[in-house]
Amino acid sequence: MTKVINFQTDPSQYRHWRVEYDGPVANLIMDVDEDQGLFEGYQLKLNSYDLGVDIELADIVQRMRFEHPEVKVVVMQSGKDRVFCAGANIRMLGGAAHSHKVNFCKFTNETRNTYEAAEKDSGQKYIAAVKGACAGGGYELALACNHIMLTDDSTSSVALPEVPLLAVLPGTGGLTRVTDKRKVRRDLADVFCSTEEGVKGKRALDWRLVDEVVPNSKFDATVQERAREFAAAMPKPDATGVALGPLDKTVGEDGSVTYSLIEVAVDRDARKATVTISGPDADAPQDMAAFTAQGDQAYLLRLARELDDAILHLRLNEMELGLLVFRTQGDPELFQAHEALLLANRDHWLANEVLQYWKRLMKRIDVTSRSMSALVEHGSCFTGILAEILWAVDRTYMMEDEFEGDNRPLATVTLTDANFGPLPMGNDLTRLETRFYGTPDAAGQMEDHKNTSLDAEAADKLGLVTMILDDIDWEDEIRIFEEERASFSPDAMTGMEANLRFAGPETMETRIFGRLTAWQNWIFNRPNAVGPDGALQRYGTGLRGEYDMERV
Amino acid sequence: MTKVINFQTDPSQYRHWRVEYDGPVANLIMDVDEDQGLFEGYQLKLNSYDLGVDIELADIVQRMRFEHPEVKVVVMQSGKDRVFCAGANIRMLGGAAHSHKVNFCKFTNETRNTYEAAEKDSGQKYIAAVKGACAGGGYELALACNHIMLTDDSTSSVALPEVPLLAVLPGTGGLTRVTDKRKVRRDLADVFCSTEEGVKGKRALDWRLVDEVVPNSKFDATVQERAREFAAAMPKPDATGVALGPLDKTVGEDGSVTYSLIEVAVDRDARKATVTISGPDADAPQDMAAFTAQGDQAYLLRLARELDDAILHLRLNEMELGLLVFRTQGDPELFQAHEALLLANRDHWLANEVLQYWKRLMKRIDVTSRSMSALVEHGSCFTGILAEILWAVDRTYMMEDEFEGDNRPLATVTLTDANFGPLPMGNDLTRLETRFYGTPDAAGQMEDHKNTSLDAEAADKLGLVTMILDDIDWEDEIRIFEEERASFSPDAMTGMEANLRFAGPETMETRIFGRLTAWQNWIFNRPNAVGPDGALQRYGTGLRGEYDMERV
């Protein structure tokens, strides 16, 4: 699996999904083309999915928000008879490297979280209309919807058969949503998760696994009726979407990637990628009408799309780069002007969508399994939204005083309203609240410093950066840090960062990326699941996995 | 490492610790005998520890509470020059099976949690008086204390060098306590946890890694002064302890274990252990004076000690038993009378200690990595404290109506005050609250049914058991469940149970056993740590680990 994975797609390229728009209701139909897997070696039978299927879904969910703001309810359903979705493709999982499995699950989890949050964030409610078998990752698709309807016939059921059948976990949020969202009683959850054939009809309702069970003869009509009802109850302004065109993106032979606003420089020997973000190249739009007229070329939307793509590209295609270094260059005041327009218009649907997108994007950075640092150099624009990067990464270094031969404006950091609410982490705290978890007063006092250019000394005093360095120390200190980081075991880094980055409260989201993912990754290393006689390899051979019965 | 591990010890057998009792202050001195490791093949140099060292510590902490209620402050310190504690022994870890590593970490975590909670639960506050190197598991010993004092000299530091040195995590709560208890700023935590040599003096204080830094010349005096101060501020009634004598315990050749009140029957073919608990064999003591006079023979204290030992024995010595089945037999009303005495006297130090012990013991069951079930049979006494077992296990089956040829009293479950507060889980909810997380009203209404014998139908209706079965179905259903469970991958079971058992809120404790432990277990399977060229194997050879640099 060494081909370059491309996260960009559009409706003209979809092979596995289609959407029928019908005013405020969109029917989202999963109809996987079994011969169009992302890699060789498996067929996507029974609406099973691989990363390629999920990239399309993520694209649909994104376009639903930006291109179809008129949609209030999305009905996820199957285009096939007798099966809703059979889950992640087992042969794909059986053949995939550990790192691909883990990254695949992370991306699918992010997509599930994204449409699950669409009701609250964007006024788009997802209904799962389940007809036929809905198993494993298929039920996890449904679990992330806001409302689950199940037809009441002899072949339709919901199931999480991973444990009995495959010796792995329902790891795309399944176990966590069963306990924390559906709040299924734990002994019933135990029965459910160890029953291959799943649960049907009234029992599925009684156990809280679905929200409605509907006789088969009335199912389709009831689903559409429910969709209209929900749509009627969702207040949403009329709006016309903006089209998301293709990204301006060039991948170089050395692995570098160039976008209109971002340069990703890859240094394979040093196992490092440097992501340099450019500040705005033009004045901020006058108002949201002007912003909307710019559409996908509006600076903050374009930048978000490019940065999102860059992060995904590095995650899936550059596995040996252990360190991501973030830089910015640009005019901090001009950046703040662009941002201020959105922050002042949070009740405008497009301003809201762009800010929500930055929220999701920053969370994607939070859970990226690479060591990350930020360099606050002279000439940089770590302001507001971009300043969040300073506290998403593991360490931040800032230039202090003038550097010889460097006539860029001195490095500053600027806090804005963006840092005090609109971009919470998965733990529901802001990055500043998480950072100052031990000194809540300090977090509160940060607001007094809003909208001020903080120089190195001030940023250091406030605890906003890890270390400030002058011309004499800058290069050496950073080189030592980067070399040291590149020498550590990547696994230990992953484990350490997964623990240190999320202080304090846990939410369903952090539990999925923390507890559930970590156990799944553990199992993904165990011979009982992935060994030559393990369940994943033996799947479909008629033989059960052969297990080492020692309990750990 | 196949010798039978014995968790019972007493001061006459200690090899690694000693305690100097001095009125309200106890000096707890770690002075590990390097030649007395629990297994062959390593020396416990520099106050490093293995499970044997930790078994002694757990015994001390337990006796401190029961035998020395006069103690208010415990000062943990080193008996060696220049080193406080070097942490878990690396060669032991390098040579241990995965399952031993995991169980070792679980037990040490439980011991850390136990003395950390002693201040709140028992009025015994732990001070770590750190002189010399305090690294890895050594600093984790200190982190679990309630107050950390560090001497300010050139050789004394605190450190978590696991990540840079060993490619594993500080997994005995280290990472979690750094972020959640000490609330160290996350970028400073990142620097700290990737700096082999650790942090000294004022910086350790500034970074919140310790509570006090004291000049070396004044250190010993200041520590004792602080201990006296803390002791003076801790109100505690005068009391004389009760001695904890040896358990009445016999291990049979077939693996069975017999205690005075517990039978552990082992069925290796079925990979099952059945733990049968006997109800009280005599009337409840009249009052706490009578209870105290019975000392360690008082029913509820004796039972707790035996059950605790049985769980630990099964965990560490019977790795291939995947299922623990809990049964009780006895008079429910008599059990309730014994329990009522403690519940009515929660302000009596010994009643409090016995209840606190049950709290810890039930938590030990919660985090036991085996499938667990309970059988509520005719003649059983699942009342109050014992009823907690029904909701700690994964599933509960209850007998319904009369069984042919069985003239024991019909099966009942009785809720008491014990189920509504004194025995919270690690997530700080009661087991009933966790069970009815989806229907909080149901949890509240449970109190209306307190102190009533609930028969099978009533227990089923209230959702207190998973399934009720009559004479016709009982044997088959349970056999099918047990056979099925025994056929599943043990790893998948561990992962599933670790997710399903703890719905809802997370605490530092659940984060340690969930997030941190899962990541550590993952790393404990990765070649970068445990492979032939991994860091654990190469430790001490002068060679660094050789790492696969792919990031996961």
Side-chain angles (χ1 to χ4, degrees):
Chain A
M1 295 200 177
T2 53
K3 74 186 248 188
V4 173
I5 297 167
N6 180 13
F7 289 87
Q8 295 304 309
T9 186
D10 67 67
S12 73
Q13 302 178 61
Y14 294 168
R15 302 163 187 285
H16 307 300
W17 298 84
R18 60 179 190 275
V19 191
E20 292 166 3
Y21 293 96
D22 182 11
V25 174
N27 285 290
L28 169 56
I29 298 148
M30 185 178 202
D31 194 359
V32 174
D33 181 343
E34 64 180 41
D35 297 321
Q36 297 284 347
L38 187 59
F39 301 100
E40 300 290 314
Y42 53 85
Q43 284 196 300
L44 295 172
K45 293 192 176 172
L46 297 171
N47 259 4
S48 64
Y49 61 84
D50 67 358
L51 182 60
V53 176
D54 234 75
I55 288 173
E56 286 185 15
L57 176 58
D59 189 70
I60 288 167
V61 172
Q62 177 80 334
R63 288 179 196 278
M64 197 70 77
R65 283 167 148 147
F66 283 97
E67 300 188 345
H68 296 281
E70 78 282 2
V71 170
K72 298 179 180 181
V73 174
V74 181
V75 182
M76 189 183 286
Q77 56 205 283
S78 170
K80 300 202 190 301
D81 284 342
R82 294 167 175 279
V83 62
F84 177 80
C85 165
N89 187 272
I90 315 301
R91 289 188 184 279
M92 178 279 294
L93 279 179
H98 183 61
S99 55
H100 183 81
K101 282 198 209 60
V102 171
N103 272 304
F104 165 70
C105 290
K106 184 171 287 175
F107 182 79
T108 54
N109 267 316
E110 290 173 320
T111 306
R112 306 295 167 276
N113 289 347
T114 296
Y115 68 75
E116 182 170 49
E119 179 176 11
K120 181 159 170 282
D121 291 351
S122 307
Q124 293 186 331
K125 181 166 182 148
Y126 280 69
I127 298 178
V130 179
K131 253 184 175 171
C134 174
Y139 182 47
E140 289 175 312
L141 272 171
L143 277 170
C145 289
N146 309 111
H147 188 80
I148 306 178
M149 301 176 74
L150 175 66
T151 194
D152 194 4
D153 68 18
S154 61
T155 60
S156 294
S157 64
V158 296
L160 290 176
E162 285 90 338
V163 164
L165 199 61
L166 302 169
V168 300
L169 302 183
T172 310
L175 292 179
T176 311
R177 284 199 177 84
V178 162
T179 56
D180 284 37
K181 182 181 182 181
R182 308 295 317 181
K183 299 187 173 72
V184 176
R185 220 177 71 199
R186 55 167 283 200
D187 56 341
L188 302 177
D190 182 277
V191 176
F192 174 60
C193 297
S194 48
T195 304
E196 243 176 79
E197 62 276 21
V199 171
K200 288 194 283 231
K202 182 165 178 306
R203 174 174 276 191
L205 185 65
D206 288 346
W207 287 14
R208 309 171 63 96
L209 297 167
V210 303
D211 295 292
E212 283 188 69
V213 172
V214 183
N216 203 23
S217 59
K218 297 184 190 165
F219 188 71
D220 296 340
T222 309
V223 166
Q224 292 305 317
E225 190 185 311
R226 197 71 70 247
R228 297 284 150 192
E229 268 173 39
F230 286 151
M234 306 264 279
K236 233 187 142 187
D238 276 338
T240 308
V242 299
L244 301 178
L247 296 186
D248 172 0
K249 173 184 176 187
T250 317
V251 182
E253 279 187 16
D254 57 350
S256 65
V257 193
T258 307
Y259 301 88
S260 77
L261 294 165
I262 294 177
E263 275 286 338
V264 180
V266 167
D267 181 344
R268 296 218 164 96
D269 292 336
R271 290 196 270 271
K272 174 176 82 161
T274 305
V275 179
T276 302
I277 295 168
S278 293
D281 40 13
D283 283 346
Q286 286 281 343
D287 51 28
M288 284 310 296
F291 187 101
T292 308
Q294 291 183 4
D296 68 353
Q297 293 307 300
Y299 171 75
L300 277 169
L301 176 52
R302 182 159 45 111
L303 182 63
R305 293 181 71 212
E306 293 180 358
L307 186 55
D308 203 14
D309 188 72
I311 300 290
L312 290 170
H313 170 80
L314 289 168
R315 271 197 201 165
L316 271 288
N317 295 315
E318 295 285 352
M319 301 291 202
E320 294 213 347
L321 303 183
L323 178 66
L324 307 188
V325 181
F326 290 90
R327 300 172 66 244
T328 59
Q329 286 287 297
D331 178 344
E333 289 181 23
L334 189 56
F335 184 89
Q336 196 172 353
H338 278 260
E339 185 193 83
L341 175 69
L342 300 185
L343 293 167
N345 288 282
R346 291 172 68 178
D347 55 351
H348 184 280
W349 80 272
L350 185 55
N352 174 58
E353 286 305 338
V354 176
L355 287 169
Q356 297 288 356
Y357 188 21
W358 275 100
K359 178 178 84 176
R360 298 194 293 278
L361 170 55
M362 293 305 308
K363 287 183 184 186
R364 203 187 297 278
I365 295 176
D366 290 332
V367 298
T368 292
S369 278
R370 308 294 167 102
S371 295
M372 296 185 289
S373 66
L375 303 181
V376 187
E377 296 171 44
H378 295 330
S380 63
C381 52
F382 281 108
T383 296
I385 291 174
L386 288 181
E388 288 291 304
I389 295 174
L390 305 179
W391 318 306
V393 300
D394 301 299
R395 295 193 201 176
T396 294
Y397 296 91
M398 184 168 182
M399 286 186 174
E400 184 185 19
D401 302 334
E402 297 200 353
F403 277 40
E404 205 184 311
D406 186 340
N407 57 11
R408 296 175 296 179
L410 289 189
T412 58
V413 171
T414 309
L415 304 178
T416 75
D417 284 333
N419 307 120
F420 296 92
L423 309 172
M425 295 176 62
N427 62 8
D428 274 349
L429 302 181
T430 65
R431 281 175 195 79
L432 285 175
E433 285 167 343
T434 303
R435 184 174 183 85
F436 297 108
Y437 190 57
T439 48
D441 286 356
Q445 285 160 14
M446 290 296 150
E447 286 215 61
D448 301 342
H449 301 276
K450 238 171 24 183
N451 306 320
T452 315
S453 275
L454 301 165
D455 65 10
E457 205 182 331
D460 185 47
K461 205 171 153 207
L462 289 172
L464 296 173
V465 296
T466 312
M467 212 174 283
I468 57 175
L469 296 164
D470 62 18
D471 196 7
I472 297 169
D473 294 326
W474 177 261
E475 221 166 292
D476 276 354
E477 283 283 345
I478 288 169
R479 183 181 49 75
I480 288 167
F481 160 65
E482 292 181 353
E483 286 176 3
E484 187 185 74
R485 207 71 172 189
S487 75
F488 292 154
S489 161
D491 304 328
M493 287 290 109
T494 292
M496 181 179 93
E497 292 156 5
N499 281 280
L500 294 183
R501 287 183 188 165
F502 303 90
E506 298 249 7
T507 63
M508 195 167 72
E509 193 172 317
T510 63
R511 280 160 65 91
I512 289 172
F513 289 116
R515 182 184 279 262
L516 178 58
T517 296
W519 284 110
Q520 179 77 307
N521 292 0
W522 175 70
I523 288 167
F524 277 164
N525 266 286
R526 302 281 291 164
N528 286 345
V530 298
D533 301 320
L536 278 183
Q537 295 303 324
R538 286 200 168 177
Y539 179 75
T541 64
L543 293 171
R544 287 187 75 102
E546 196 163 286
Y547 303 139
D548 173 354
M549 296 312 292
E550 190 170 79
R551 252 299 186 132
V552 177
Chain B
M1 291 200 179
T2 52
K3 75 187 250 188
V4 173
I5 298 168
N6 179 12
F7 290 87
Q8 296 304 310
T9 185
D10 67 66
S12 73
Q13 301 178 61
Y14 294 167
R15 300 163 190 284
H16 307 299
W17 298 85
R18 59 179 192 275
V19 191
E20 292 167 2
Y21 293 95
D22 182 11
V25 174
N27 286 290
L28 168 56
I29 297 149
M30 183 178 205
D31 194 1
V32 174
D33 181 343
E34 63 180 40
D35 297 322
Q36 297 284 346
L38 188 59
F39 301 100
E40 300 291 312
Y42 54 84
Q43 283 195 301
L44 296 172
K45 293 194 176 171
L46 297 170
N47 258 6
S48 63
Y49 62 83
D50 66 358
L51 181 60
V53 176
D54 234 74
I55 289 172
E56 287 185 13
L57 175 59
D59 189 71
I60 288 166
V61 171
Q62 177 81 333
R63 288 180 196 278
M64 196 71 75
R65 283 169 148 145
F66 282 97
E67 299 187 346
H68 296 279
E70 78 282 3
V71 169
K72 299 179 180 180
V73 174
V74 181
V75 182
M76 187 183 287
Q77 57 205 279
S78 169
K80 301 206 190 298
D81 285 341
R82 295 168 175 278
V83 62
F84 177 80
C85 166
N89 188 272
I90 315 298
R91 290 187 183 280
M92 178 280 292
L93 280 179
H98 182 61
S99 54
H100 183 81
K101 282 199 208 61
V102 172
N103 273 303
F104 165 69
C105 289
K106 185 171 286 176
F107 182 78
T108 54
N109 267 317
E110 289 172 322
T111 307
R112 305 296 165 276
N113 288 347
T114 297
Y115 67 75
E116 183 170 49
E119 180 176 10
K120 182 160 170 282
D121 292 351
S122 307
Q124 293 186 330
K125 182 168 185 146
Y126 280 68
I127 298 177
V130 179
K131 253 183 177 173
C134 174
Y139 182 47
E140 289 175 311
L141 273 171
L143 276 170
C145 290
N146 309 111
H147 188 79
I148 307 178
M149 301 176 74
L150 175 66
T151 193
D152 193 4
D153 67 16
S154 60
T155 60
S156 294
S157 63
V158 295
L160 291 176
E162 285 91 338
V163 164
L165 200 61
L166 301 167
V168 301
L169 302 184
T172 311
L175 292 180
T176 311
R177 285 199 177 83
V178 162
T179 55
D180 284 37
K181 181 180 183 182
R182 308 294 317 181
K183 301 187 173 70
V184 176
R185 219 176 71 200
R186 55 165 283 200
D187 57 339
L188 302 177
D190 182 277
V191 175
F192 175 60
C193 297
S194 48
T195 303
E196 241 178 80
E197 63 274 21
V199 169
K200 290 193 282 229
K202 182 165 179 304
R203 173 174 277 190
L205 185 64
D206 289 345
W207 287 14
R208 311 172 62 97
L209 298 166
V210 303
D211 295 292
E212 283 188 71
V213 172
V214 183
N216 204 22
S217 58
K218 296 182 187 166
F219 187 72
D220 294 342
T222 309
V223 166
Q224 292 305 318
E225 193 184 309
R226 196 71 70 244
R228 297 284 151 193
E229 269 173 36
F230 286 151
M234 307 263 280
K236 236 188 140 184
D238 276 339
T240 308
V242 299
L244 301 178
L247 296 186
D248 172 1
K249 171 185 177 185
T250 317
V251 182
E253 279 187 18
D254 58 351
S256 65
V257 193
T258 308
Y259 301 88
S260 77
L261 295 164
I262 294 178
E263 276 284 338
V264 181
V266 168
D267 181 344
R268 296 222 163 94
D269 292 336
R271 288 195 272 272
K272 175 176 79 163
T274 303
V275 178
T276 302
I277 296 169
S278 294
D281 41 12
D283 283 347
Q286 287 281 343
D287 52 26
M288 284 310 298
F291 187 102
T292 307
Q294 291 183 3
D296 67 353
Q297 293 308 299
Y299 170 75
L300 277 169
L301 176 53
R302 181 157 49 108
L303 182 62
R305 294 181 71 212
E306 293 181 357
L307 186 55
D308 203 14
D309 188 73
I311 300 289
L312 289 171
H313 171 79
L314 289 168
R315 269 198 203 166
L316 272 288
N317 295 315
E318 295 286 353
M319 301 290 200
E320 294 213 348
L321 303 182
L323 179 65
L324 308 187
V325 181
F326 291 89
R327 299 172 67 245
T328 60
Q329 285 289 297
D331 179 344
E333 288 181 25
L334 189 55
F335 184 89
Q336 196 173 353
H338 278 260
E339 185 193 84
L341 175 69
L342 298 185
L343 292 167
N345 288 282
R346 289 172 70 179
D347 55 351
H348 184 281
W349 80 272
L350 185 54
N352 174 57
E353 286 306 337
V354 176
L355 287 170
Q356 296 289 356
Y357 187 22
W358 275 100
K359 178 179 84 175
R360 297 194 294 277
L361 169 53
M362 292 307 307
K363 287 184 185 188
R364 203 186 301 276
I365 294 176
D366 289 330
V367 298
T368 292
S369 278
R370 309 292 169 102
S371 295
M372 297 186 289
S373 66
L375 303 182
V376 187
E377 296 171 43
H378 296 329
S380 62
C381 54
F382 282 107
T383 295
I385 290 174
L386 288 180
E388 288 290 308
I389 294 174
L390 305 180
W391 318 307
V393 301
D394 302 299
R395 295 193 201 178
T396 294
Y397 296 91
M398 184 166 183
M399 287 184 173
E400 185 184 17
D401 302 333
E402 297 200 352
F403 278 39
E404 204 184 310
D406 185 341
N407 58 10
R408 296 173 298 179
L410 290 189
T412 57
V413 171
T414 309
L415 304 178
T416 75
D417 284 332
N419 306 120
F420 296 91
L423 309 173
M425 296 175 62
N427 63 7
D428 272 351
L429 302 181
T430 65
R431 279 175 198 77
L432 284 175
E433 285 167 341
T434 302
R435 184 174 183 85
F436 297 108
Y437 189 57
T439 47
D441 284 358
Q445 286 160 14
M446 290 296 149
E447 284 216 63
D448 300 342
H449 301 275
K450 240 172 22 184
N451 305 321
T452 314
S453 276
L454 302 165
D455 65 11
E457 205 182 332
D460 185 46
K461 204 170 153 211
L462 289 172
L464 295 173
V465 297
T466 312
M467 213 175 283
I468 58 176
L469 296 164
D470 62 19
D471 196 6
I472 297 170
D473 294 325
W474 176 261
E475 222 165 292
D476 276 352
E477 282 284 344
I478 287 169
R479 183 183 47 76
I480 289 167
F481 160 66
E482 292 181 353
E483 286 176 2
E484 187 185 72
R485 208 73 173 185
S487 75
F488 292 154
S489 161
D491 304 327
M493 287 289 111
T494 293
M496 183 181 90
E497 291 155 7
N499 280 282
L500 294 183
R501 287 181 187 167
F502 303 90
E506 299 250 5
T507 63
M508 195 166 72
E509 194 171 315
T510 64
R511 280 161 65 90
I512 289 171
F513 288 116
R515 182 184 279 264
L516 179 58
T517 296
W519 284 109
Q520 180 76 306
N521 291 1
W522 175 71
I523 288 167
F524 277 164
N525 266 285
R526 302 280 292 164
N528 286 344
V530 299
D533 301 319
L536 279 182
Q537 294 304 324
R538 286 200 168 176
Y539 180 74
T541 64
L543 293 172
R544 287 187 78 100
E546 196 163 287
Y547 302 138
D548 174 351
M549 297 312 293
E550 190 170 79
R551 254 295 188 136
V552 178

